[in-house]
Amino acid sequence: NIDAGNSYCKFDQGIRKSPNVKAATVTLTQQESGRAIIIKNKSADATYTLPAVAVGLNYKFMIVEKTGAYDIEIKSPSATNFFFGGVTHLDTNAGSGGDEIVTVVSDNDSNDFLTLTLVEAGSMVEMYCDGTNWFVTGHVASETAPSFGDASGL
């Protein structure tokens, strides 16, 4: 239903997007915005490159399976479109005397890579774009804290 007088659009059945299963290095498209990116069956390190910036783009990366000792990296396609925000690290090496839960944040002025080392199933990272930069939030379970950087961490 469209009501031009009140400038809104109502979808009685909602808008549904099926999850997008990814197992290898890939460059995402703008058409995949709003879809959950499901990461499973990894057999090697994998890099997920975001598309060129545009207002409203958003991606949810969900790690649903860990097979082997492989890392994941999410990167901006341009060093001028960097990451703001951070993720909560849930240390799976609990009781080892290190930090158990910490916040890991971008420097908010140049970091355009996010590396997830030996990430466990159940981890999730979301990215939202304002047309210039990417805003990051989520939680990452692993023995090694995730890291933001200006270059690849793989």
Side-chain angles (χ1 to χ4, degrees):
N1 300 341
I2 298 178
D3 184 340
N6 290 321
S7 300
Y8 74 88
C9 185
K10 178 182 175 187
F11 297 91
D12 293 331
Q13 298 298 315
I15 297 175
R16 300 177 191 154
K17 291 191 174 190
S18 62
N20 196 353
V21 178
K22 302 285 186 184
T25 294
V26 66
T27 297
L28 299 172
T29 66
Q30 290 188 0
Q31 291 76 19
E32 293 171 300
S33 177
R35 294 178 71 182
I37 307 301
I38 307 299
I39 301 172
K40 66 180 223 167
N41 296 331
K42 292 174 22 51
S43 58
D45 290 348
T47 299
Y48 299 89
T49 303
L50 298 164
V53 294
V55 173
L57 292 179
N58 62 90
Y59 301 88
K60 179 187 291 188
F61 297 88
M62 298 171 59
I63 293 78
V64 299
E65 181 179 42
K66 176 185 175 187
T67 54
Y70 304 107
D71 304 329
I72 295 169
E73 190 159 72
I74 302 169
K75 72 174 195 169
S76 172
S78 169
T80 59
N81 307 118
F82 44 85
F83 297 150
F84 277 84
V87 296
T88 301
H89 174 237
L90 309 169
D91 189 351
T92 58
N93 199 14
S96 65
D99 292 326
E100 305 302 332
I101 300 175
V102 295
T103 302
V104 179
V105 297
S106 168
D107 67 3
N108 296 336
D109 69 11
S110 65
N111 294 159
D112 54 338
F113 288 83
L114 171 58
T115 304
L116 311 177
T117 303
L118 303 175
V119 65
E120 297 286 345
S123 300
M124 182 187 67
V125 174
E126 296 182 70
M127 302 278 197
Y128 297 89
C129 186
D130 68 353
T132 303
N133 295 302
W134 294 94
F135 298 91
V136 183
T137 189
H139 56 272
V140 176
S142 67
E143 285 189 26
T144 304
S147 62
F148 287 91
D150 297 345
S152 176
L154 296 181

